[in-house]
Amino acid sequence: LTQVLSILNTMEQDVSVGRSRKEAEEILMTQLASLEELFSVQELRDIQYDGMILPSLVSPFIECYYLPKYWNEKASLFDEKEESSSHVCREIVTNICHLAKCICSHAKDKEQHERTQQLIYTLVTQHVVPRVKHAFQSTLSWDPLVQVEDGLRLYESLIDSVQENEKDMQ
């Protein structure tokens, strides 16, 4: 438990330091590998590492490095001043898929594919879908009478980017 706490403290400090995304990603991979080495395969299953713990550990990294500042809870996804929402959505999903592939790359072939898909699903549903849902429900950010095409593009982009990344994994 002392080793686990030490690794978690290091991860927390690394996110707050303000490193470049590439450097932070390398450190994250090293820390996660160190953490996984502490447990047997059965122990990782018992503590629900892939489904619960891993997404929780990766979330601060995604919030810090993968979600653009204007894509926060208060900002509008349909703000014409910013990049198109569909492009931003596609970029974020692609980055999340890349991160999941890197994290799960050391597992065996079949196990790697299953772990990666589970992690992508969890991270996209935790970070991307709530923001898209919030944007569609907010009358301040999306007017369904005026911005029909923007809404459709965002929805299609989310689905397309997940499907494209899923094809790349096969």
Side-chain angles (χ1 to χ4, degrees):
L1 287 176
T2 306
Q3 287 178 316
V4 171
L5 183 59
S6 172
I7 290 169
L8 293 176
N9 285 336
T10 304
M11 288 175 72
E12 185 178 320
Q13 290 170 358
D14 285 343
V15 168
S16 64
V17 169
R19 302 181 194 282
S20 71
R21 187 174 101 182
K22 184 174 175 82
E23 183 182 4
E25 190 175 290
E26 290 171 5
I27 292 170
L28 176 68
M29 296 306 145
T30 303
Q31 295 297 330
L32 291 174
S34 299
L35 186 60
E36 287 182 27
E37 289 174 3
L38 297 175
F39 301 100
S40 69
V41 174
Q42 185 59 43
E43 289 171 332
L44 289 172
R45 281 190 199 116
D46 291 345
I47 63 172
Q48 298 180 349
Y49 180 78
D50 287 339
M52 300 282 288
I53 295 174
L54 184 57
S56 297
L57 294 174
V58 175
S59 288
F61 179 85
I62 291 172
E63 293 290 332
C64 184
Y65 291 101
Y66 285 171
L67 297 181
K69 292 178 183 177
Y70 60 89
W71 226 51
N72 62 31
E73 296 294 331
K74 297 175 187 171
S76 168
L77 283 179
F78 301 102
D79 189 352
E80 294 175 10
K81 297 175 190 170
E82 305 295 347
E83 289 187 56
S84 74
S85 57
S86 58
H87 174 73
V88 171
C89 184
R90 182 178 300 278
E91 183 179 329
I92 291 171
V93 170
T94 301
N95 286 334
I96 287 174
C97 291
H98 169 75
L99 180 65
K101 289 174 194 173
C102 290
I103 290 171
C104 300
S105 65
H106 64 278
K108 297 174 188 155
D109 288 340
K110 183 181 178 191
E111 184 181 306
Q112 175 187 354
H113 183 70
E114 290 171 6
R115 285 186 74 199
T116 304
Q117 282 191 316
Q118 180 183 8
L119 185 57
I120 290 170
Y121 174 80
T122 303
L123 295 175
V124 168
T125 56
Q126 283 181 352
H127 295 285
V128 180
V129 173
R131 285 172 172 78
V132 171
K133 181 180 176 185
H134 176 73
F136 280 125
Q137 292 175 338
S138 172
T139 56
L140 298 174
S141 65
W142 183 57
D143 183 353
L145 299 176
V146 177
Q147 297 170 308
V148 175
E149 292 295 320
D150 293 338
L152 288 173
R153 264 194 303 277
L154 177 59
Y155 178 72
E156 289 171 349
S157 174
L158 176 60
I159 292 171
D160 290 345
S161 58
V162 170
Q163 287 175 344
E164 285 172 14
N165 283 290
E166 199 172 81
K167 286 178 187 173
D168 290 344
M169 288 175 34
Q170 295 174 351

